[in-house]
Amino acid sequence: MKALFYTREFPPYVYGGAGVHVEYLATELAKLIEMDVRCFGDQDSKSDNLSVKGFPFDNPIFDEADDKLKAVFKTLSTCIQMNAQPIDADVVHCHTWYAHFAGIIAKLCYGTPLVITTHSLEPLRPWKREQLGRGYDASSWVEKTAIEMADALIAVSEETKEDVLKHFNVDEKKVHVIYNGINLEQYITTSKTATLDEYGVDKTKPYVLFVGRITRQKGIIHLVNAVKYIDPETQIVLCAGAPDTKEIGVEMEHAVNEVKKTRNNVIWIDKMLEKHQVIELYSHADVFCCPSIYEPFGIINIEAMACKTAVVASAVGGIKEVVVPGETGILIPLEQQKEAPFEPVNPDKFSKDLANGINQLISNDDLRTKMAENSRKRVEDYFDWVAIAKQVESLYKSLI
């Protein structure tokens, strides 16, 4: 059996959770079946069962297009290029709307069974209009078309499955819940501290850590606004880069600069670090905070948990299926506006609640230690890529 992945992200060009998912799932599947990956970029490699081919995204023909539409036009163009080479795979598997158009073409032109993993859903990300303008209507159409014509759908959590059934016209029998996973040999506590030293993290003081992109979805602004309520001896380490838009990047900069006026232990690492560096930050953090306002799964939480770090996270989406309250972390309730999806009804209360959860763990060594040990065990029991790859392989077999 042979499977073909269509994806925007693949190493060395990974900036989000979907890219992490694709990288590790492809690696594990290649131990079971032949794997072909077609992605955005200049990759060109083959090793054992895994072939990777990148296709250009920055097509100069779109240089004069509207800035918010360029990404959409370039995406659709790349998806067509990805289909120019014949397909001999038994199944095509797409990841994120950026690659869905390639899957649509593959199913229509080659008749190949189509699998879609729903890492997130456009109807639940209304802030994408800030980034794409009317292109958000195009990305939503691509996603809807792909999902409704797919032969099988993978939801990364039970709540994501419910969202798929609510927003799209699909047969429930086609939707399969298969969690994201983690490489348990790579994500493990390390004693190395070079990254802490490089960025000026005081190893004698506790710190709370955030890792992720600067986007409305990740809720980082709410954590920054919580800083004034966090114990002043606790360092705040924000490993946050790749802003969705220039505007949210500026908003983040202003917010961080404002809190720095009253405390000097806020450290903002404004770029995406290498895996080994992030693992160092996870390993020595006292608390990991995930303040997302929308999160189908949240790989960052299991990364932190694998490195034995207690988690304070918003009680949304798949996070509720990952973090066990009182056992591996603290879940913060989030009352969200109906007229403006996902934004907190009371942003200041949400920030205070985040801070209270963080302060509770920072001040309780025994509870934090217990949660750290429980976190690693939970990840080992439920989120191992080896077992997850076998579930995906079984799904493929059922289609062919």
Side-chain angles (χ1 to χ4, degrees):
M1 183 167 62
K2 181 178 182 179
L4 166 61
F5 271 12
Y6 281 136
T7 175
R8 174 178 178 173
E9 299 176 57
F10 202 79
Y13 310 117
V14 173
Y15 65 89
V20 174
H21 172 109
V22 171
E23 174 185 358
Y24 286 100
L25 180 57
T27 300
E28 287 301 327
L29 280 172
K31 298 175 183 177
L32 305 172
I33 61 175
E34 189 176 354
M35 286 296 302
D36 186 0
V37 175
R38 300 185 189 182
C39 50
F40 291 23
D42 55 6
Q43 302 91 327
D44 190 0
S45 65
K46 181 173 178 59
S47 58
D48 299 325
N49 266 358
L50 179 60
S51 298
V52 181
K53 177 65 176 177
F55 292 80
F57 178 69
D58 289 319
N59 190 330
I61 196 172
F62 300 113
D63 286 349
E64 301 302 316
D66 179 279
D67 284 343
K68 290 189 175 181
L69 297 178
K70 281 181 182 177
V72 176
F73 294 156
K74 290 179 179 180
T75 294
L76 299 180
S77 173
T78 303
C79 285
I80 292 173
Q81 294 178 60
M82 292 162 81
N83 273 281
Q85 297 182 4
I87 293 175
D88 61 354
D90 299 292
V91 62
V92 167
H93 189 167
C94 292
H95 301 268
T96 78
W97 84 265
Y98 290 99
H100 287 355
F101 191 58
I104 291 171
I105 295 172
K107 183 170 174 61
L108 292 175
C109 296
Y110 296 100
T112 312
L114 177 62
V115 177
I116 298 287
T117 290
T118 53
H119 297 278
S120 60
L121 298 172
E122 294 296 275
L124 303 181
R125 303 197 297 171
W127 52 84
K128 292 290 286 184
R129 194 171 294 282
E130 295 177 16
Q131 181 183 2
L132 300 175
R134 288 294 298 270
Y136 174 61
D137 298 305
S139 66
S140 298
W141 174 82
V142 168
E143 179 182 75
K144 177 179 172 63
T145 302
I147 285 176
E148 294 185 354
M149 71 187 292
D151 297 280
L153 297 160
I154 295 176
V156 294
S157 64
E158 292 289 347
E159 184 151 322
T160 302
K161 177 180 178 178
E162 293 176 11
D163 289 336
V164 169
L165 296 174
K166 178 180 178 180
H167 292 278
F168 301 94
N169 182 22
V170 298
D171 183 346
E172 183 175 0
K173 294 178 182 178
K174 291 185 176 182
V175 187
H176 308 264
V177 176
I178 301 179
Y179 286 135
N180 284 321
I182 193 166
N183 184 324
L184 291 168
E185 295 179 0
Q186 183 177 37
Y187 282 86
I188 191 167
T189 303
T190 178
S191 60
K192 295 179 180 178
T193 60
T195 303
L196 280 72
D197 296 334
E198 180 178 353
Y199 292 101
V201 181
D202 186 342
K203 297 192 289 290
T204 68
K205 298 286 182 67
Y207 70 89
V208 56
L209 174 68
F210 171 90
V211 175
R213 292 178 292 117
I214 302 173
T215 169
R216 302 284 177 211
Q217 178 176 332
K218 300 300 178 183
I220 186 171
I221 294 297
H222 301 297
L223 175 58
V224 175
N225 292 335
V227 171
K228 58 180 173 288
Y229 303 118
I230 296 174
D231 182 272
E233 291 299 306
T234 301
Q235 299 172 96
I236 317 297
V237 180
L238 307 171
C239 184
D244 270 357
T245 64
K246 291 180 181 178
E247 290 77 13
I248 194 172
V250 170
E251 182 181 340
M252 173 70 175
E253 185 176 357
H254 287 168
V256 172
N257 288 340
E258 192 64 28
V259 298
K260 281 186 173 182
K261 291 178 181 178
T262 57
R263 57 194 295 167
N264 59 7
N265 58 357
V266 177
I267 300 164
W268 179 18
I269 305 170
D270 61 346
K271 60 182 179 180
M272 310 304 285
L273 299 181
E274 299 291 330
K275 287 190 189 73
H276 72 275
Q277 295 176 298
V278 177
I279 289 170
E280 285 184 30
L281 292 176
Y282 282 138
S283 296
H284 298 283
D286 295 84
V287 176
F288 177 75
C289 183
C290 178
S292 295
I293 58 174
Y294 170 57
E295 198 66 75
F297 182 83
I299 285 181
I300 49 177
N301 293 301
I302 59 173
E303 289 179 351
M305 290 164 63
C307 296
K308 296 187 176 181
T309 304
V311 174
V312 171
S314 46
V316 298
I319 295 175
K320 295 178 291 185
E321 298 168 45
V322 174
V323 178
V324 181
E327 294 295 325
T328 68
I330 296 174
L331 289 180
I332 306 300
L334 175 56
E335 184 182 2
Q336 296 172 312
Q337 298 178 21
K338 294 180 180 178
E339 65 276 12
F342 307 111
E343 286 301 321
V345 169
N346 188 333
D348 190 58
K349 181 182 185 302
F350 179 51
S351 291
K352 281 183 179 178
D353 290 345
L354 287 171
N356 289 339
I358 292 166
N359 290 335
Q360 180 183 343
L361 291 186
I362 292 291
S363 63
N364 191 328
D365 292 345
D366 290 341
L367 178 59
R368 202 170 62 249
T369 299
K370 183 191 81 168
M371 287 183 173
E373 294 299 327
N374 290 343
S375 291
R376 176 69 191 187
K377 185 177 187 306
R378 178 159 176 77
V379 172
E380 290 175 347
D381 288 346
Y382 293 97
F383 306 111
D384 186 352
W385 271 129
V386 175
I388 290 166
K390 290 178 181 177
Q391 294 177 53
V392 175
E393 180 197 24
S394 295
L395 177 59
Y396 292 166
K397 287 181 177 177
S398 73
L399 299 177
I400 60 174

